[in-house]
């Protein structure tokens, strides 16, 4: 398979549908896939015709985690230079996705293992198929969940759940993942795409600048004191005001107070 083909994507009605595309390898993340994913994110991030990105997987897997042969064994054979390079490539696109300019949704259609928790966490929202299966299989082949994965589960889950998944390698399905808050919600596989589209279309109605500043704020304030967060949020709103050339907040107030054409409590203003 050509490196180019390890990721598939198309843009339709302002939604970028991006897919891990190594179904025959259960979408395991190889160095080729990691490099290609960075290029795809690069291409999509600032396109005017993209408002939301959805990340899913071709075939029966979302992603079976890092490719044990190509990402671990073959890079280790190249020594530390090879290992660090492949780590930079994978962590690089996970980070790029975490701070992506547009809101992102993980649409988890199947297997999600180990390193797959990196991009799962990087996506702002996550919708799962009930049939999907999640596991920290690292312990099953003798390592700890590295590459940020332990941090992901500790940030997203209560300590007992994080510890259980980490120490047992047990699988959970989409409904359990939703109950644990690893994902926002879980629906039957045959409704997964429609539900994800509905969520994406709702996001598309919102002010795009506000979405970017809001998603960053949610990730940033977690490690701040209250006073730091208060100050940061004041500054970020001022920065958002500068970046929003449509002056959306004024328009939003105008349509409510003067025009009485919508109610902010019930939906977004007309852009
Ligand atoms: N790395 C490398 N190759 C993989 C991976 C992986 N993570 N996952 C699947 N493959 C390959 C298999 O070796 C097999 O290759 P082959 O056809 O050349 O023999 C092919 O994908 C299909 O895999 P099967 O095991 O036959 O598929 P099945 O649907 O029966 O099982 C499952 C799917 C459960 C995902 C299984 O493949 C599996 O356990 N994969 C490993 C999951 C894992 O532990 N990932 C690593 C997490 S730890 C980390 O990411 C740091």
């Amino acid at each position: 398979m050509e490196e180019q083909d390890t990721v598939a994507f198309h843009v339709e009605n302002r939604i970028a549908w991006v897919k891990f595309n190594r179904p025959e390898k259960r979408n395991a993340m190889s160095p080729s896939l990691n490099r290609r994913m960075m290029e795809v994110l690069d291409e999509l991030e600032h396109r005017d015709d993209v408002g939301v990105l959805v990340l899913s997987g071709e075939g029966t897997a979302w992603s079976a985690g890092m490719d044990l042969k190509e990402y671990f064994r073959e890079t280790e054979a190249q020594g530390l230079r090879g290992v660090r390079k492949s780590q930079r490539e994978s962590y690089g696109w996970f980070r790029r996705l975490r701070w992506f300019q547009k809101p992102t949704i993980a649409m988890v259609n199947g297997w999600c293992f180990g390193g797959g928790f990196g991009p799962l966490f990087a996506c702002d929202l996550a919708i799962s198929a009930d049939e999907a299966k999640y596991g920290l299989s690292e312990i099953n082949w003798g390592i700890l969940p590295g590459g940020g994965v332990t941090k992901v589960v500790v940030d997203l889950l209560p300590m007992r759940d994080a510890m259980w998944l980490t120490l047992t390698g047990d699988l959970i399905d989409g409904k359990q993942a939703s109950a644990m808050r690893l994902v926002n919600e879980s629906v039957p596989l045959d409704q997964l795409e429609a539900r994800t589209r509905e969520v994406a279309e709702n996001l598309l109605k919102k002010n795009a600048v506000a979405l970017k500043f809001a998603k960053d704020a949610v990730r940033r304030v977690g490690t701040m004191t209250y006073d730091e967060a208060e100050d940061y949020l004041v500054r970020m709103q001022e920065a958002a005001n500068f970046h929003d050339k449509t002056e959306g907040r004024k328009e939003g107030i105008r349509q409510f107070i003067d025009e009485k054409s919508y109610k902010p409590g019930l939906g977004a203003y007309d852009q």
Side-chain angles (χ1 to χ4, degrees), residues 22-29 60-61 64-72 111 113-116 135-138 140-141 143-146 149:
R22 300 180 72 217
E24 72 292 348
K25 297 290 181 189
R26 303 302 178 265
N27 298 325
M29 291 179 274
T60 57
M66 309 321 294
D67 188 307
L68 300 196
K69 177 169 167 280
E70 295 185 35
Y71 182 85
F72 287 108
W111 301 112
F113 282 107
L136 295 186
S137 55
E138 284 89 339
N140 290 339
W141 61 281
I143 69 163
L144 61 81
V149 170

Side-chain angles (χ1 to χ4, degrees), residues 150-255:
T150 298
K151 177 67 176 158
V152 166
V153 289
V154 167
D155 274 6
L156 289 179
L157 306 178
M159 197 273 269
R160 294 291 182 207
D161 290 327
M163 196 65 94
W164 191 282
L165 294 181
T166 302
L167 297 188
T168 67
D170 280 357
L171 291 174
I172 55 170
D173 64 19
K175 284 184 179 163
Q176 290 168 297
S178 171
M180 234 179 236
R181 311 312 295 144
L182 183 60
V183 298
N184 291 95
E185 56 182 74
S186 180
V187 297
L189 181 59
D190 62 7
Q191 295 167 28
L192 181 63
E193 194 173 314
R195 177 60 185 144
T196 305
R197 180 175 286 109
E198 192 174 54
V199 173
E201 284 172 352
N202 185 28
L203 295 174
L204 288 172
K205 293 182 195 146
K206 317 290 183 193
N207 180 299
V209 175
L211 282 171
K212 168 61 175 159
F213 279 85
K215 63 178 259 181
D216 287 7
V218 170
R219 287 189 190 271
R220 295 263 188 230
V221 298
T223 55
M224 294 181 193
T225 64
Y226 186 89
D227 281 347
E228 285 166 349
E230 189 183 75
D231 190 51
Y232 167 84
L233 293 169
V234 167
R235 304 300 151 217
M236 284 304 112
Q237 183 55 53
E238 288 166 358
N241 296 349
F242 172 78
H243 280 283
D244 183 9
K245 302 305 175 202
T246 69
E247 299 213 303
R249 72 203 182 286
K250 290 186 183 166
E251 180 59 15
I253 293 174
R254 193 188 67 74
Q255 289 181 20

Side-chain angles (χ1 to χ4, degrees), residues 68-84:
L68 300 196
K69 177 169 167 280
E70 295 185 35
Y71 182 85
F72 287 108
R73 194 164 68 188
E74 290 176 5
T75 57
E76 280 162 22
Q78 298 162 21
L80 195 56
R81 180 188 295 269
V83 171
R84 291 285 179 265

Side-chain angles (χ1 to χ4, degrees), residues 55 62 94-95 97-99 104 106 108 112 114-126 134 147-149 151-157 181-183 215 218-219:
L55 180 59
W62 193 68
F94 298 172
R95 186 177 310 114
L97 189 60
R98 272 199 312 280
W99 301 104
T104 54
V108 186
C112 177
F117 280 52
L120 179 68
F121 176 69
C123 289
D124 302 319
L125 302 176
Y134 301 77
V149 170
K151 177 67 176 158
V152 166
V153 289
V154 167
D155 274 6
L156 289 179
L157 306 178
R181 311 312 295 144
L182 183 60
V183 298
K215 63 178 259 181
V218 170
R219 287 189 190 271

